Amino acid sequence: MFFQIESGSGVPIFEQICRQIKYAIAQGSFKSGDLLPSVRELAGTLAVNANTIARSYRELQREGIVISVRGTGMEITKEAKSICVKERKRLAQENLTGVLAEAQASELSESEIRAWMDREIRRLWK
């Protein structure tokens, strides 16, 4: 799994890590029973504070995506895939709503927006 941190994105680093792990689970890169990299290992790889990684892992644990296995590490739960797919859909809808609001605020007509959306749907779902 390759993580990418965007320091200027406005999204806190711990949240970027959570999102990327959720996306990886939703896509099947991480499966139930897989272990996440250790806090120390991931902190070194990303050159971020270990407390930031630990915070991400605590959040994922709170959401039921991972569980702590004593002496082993953070393990992906059986429920993780469905939780992560649902979260990814929620974020996509939130992003689409934001884009449509921006298009409307830019005084694009409904027909212009629909034409643009139709073009993009055809392009992406070839």
Side-chain angles (χ1 to χ4, degrees):
M1 171 80 208
F2 177 75
F3 294 92
Q4 185 175 354
I5 302 301
E6 296 179 26
S7 56
S9 74
V11 177
I13 293 172
F14 88 93
E15 193 172 320
Q16 290 181 47
I17 294 165
C18 286
R19 285 183 184 182
Q20 290 180 48
I21 291 171
K22 289 175 186 179
Y23 283 5
I25 292 168
Q27 291 176 326
S29 297
F30 282 131
K31 295 178 178 34
S32 174
D34 287 351
L35 295 175
L36 293 179
S38 72
V39 168
R40 188 172 292 140
E41 177 186 351
L42 191 54
T45 301
L46 297 178
V48 299
N49 190 298
N51 290 329
T52 302
I53 305 301
R55 182 176 179 190
S56 299
Y57 285 8
R58 282 192 306 274
E59 179 62 21
L60 293 169
Q61 189 173 15
R62 187 189 66 73
E63 293 179 27
I65 295 168
V66 298
I67 56 170
S68 178
V69 179
R70 188 177 183 137
T72 305
M74 299 303 271
E75 183 179 299
I76 308 295
T77 65
K78 288 179 174 68
E79 301 81 16
K81 175 120 178 156
S82 64
I83 293 168
C84 294
V85 167
K86 183 178 177 181
E87 173 71 6
R88 190 162 185 182
K89 287 179 182 180
R90 186 194 66 75
L91 283 172
Q93 182 176 357
E94 184 179 297
N95 290 336
L96 182 57
T97 299
V99 167
L100 290 173
E102 178 64 30
Q104 182 184 37
S106 298
E107 298 184 4
L108 292 169
S109 69
E110 185 178 334
S111 62
E112 288 174 308
I113 295 169
R114 286 184 188 278
W116 175 77
M117 298 257 314
D118 288 342
R119 250 190 333 271
E120 288 302 306
I121 289 170
R122 281 193 302 276
R123 184 180 68 81
L124 292 170
W125 275 268
K126 283 185 180 181

